[in-house]
Amino acid sequence: MKDSDRGIRIAAIGALVIGSVLIGSSVAGTAWASSPGESAMERTAAACGLGADNPRVSGGTISGSGSRAGCGGTVTLTVQVRKHRPAWPDKVVAETSRTGFSNGSLTASGGCDGNGTYFTEARSSSGNKLSSGRVNRC
């Protein structure tokens, strides 16, 4: 192999590696706040994001809150409390949804489904989704 060909190949590989790193870091830095269906207002608001609190229990009722903050425009916000089931789809034990939602919080409440691992999930009609931590409840 000629030395000039080798140098070109090394330079091309270096450019690919650097490009991959730059694209990967760019995607990682913005993935939480953007999605293909997101409105222009949400994309321009740097602090726009979803929140999901760990579920709480009071008596036999489990509740979880989801939120949206720093966003322009409105979406349909859906909040679910789910019970994790290994090797099965997670079971929805509480759900609420509100259309025309701008910013604030929304709480879903339902009955406990026995001791287990629960989490809260907040989903926006723009395609964003966020899950809370998983906690042992009920």
Side-chain angles (χ1 to χ4, degrees):
M1 175 185 329
K2 293 182 181 178
D3 285 338
S4 64
D5 289 344
R6 183 172 183 241
I8 291 171
R9 287 184 181 159
I10 291 173
I13 291 170
L16 287 172
V17 169
I18 290 171
S20 296
V21 169
L22 291 174
I23 290 171
S25 64
S26 174
V27 169
T30 58
W32 67 272
S34 64
S35 68
E38 186 175 43
S39 71
M41 292 294 288
E42 284 182 315
R43 270 194 302 278
T44 59
C48 177
L50 293 177
D53 295 338
N54 290 343
R56 316 170 283 293
V57 174
S58 177
T61 302
I62 188 162
S63 302
S65 295
S67 61
R68 186 172 184 252
C71 302
T74 61
V75 295
T76 298
L77 184 68
T78 302
V79 177
Q80 294 179 330
V81 177
R82 295 175 168 230
K83 181 179 183 183
H84 177 68
R85 298 189 303 180
W88 290 93
D90 295 331
K91 182 176 183 181
V92 176
V93 296
E95 180 175 14
T96 190
S97 186
R98 185 176 300 159
T99 58
F101 193 87
S102 57
N103 292 296
S105 65
L106 187 60
T107 301
S109 298
C112 283
D113 188 49
N115 188 35
T117 303
Y118 291 85
F119 63 97
T120 303
E121 184 175 273
R123 281 184 282 122
S124 166
S125 59
S126 66
N128 291 330
K129 178 172 78 170
L130 181 70
S131 295
S132 72
R134 294 174 183 248
V135 292
N136 192 18
R137 297 285 189 257
C138 297

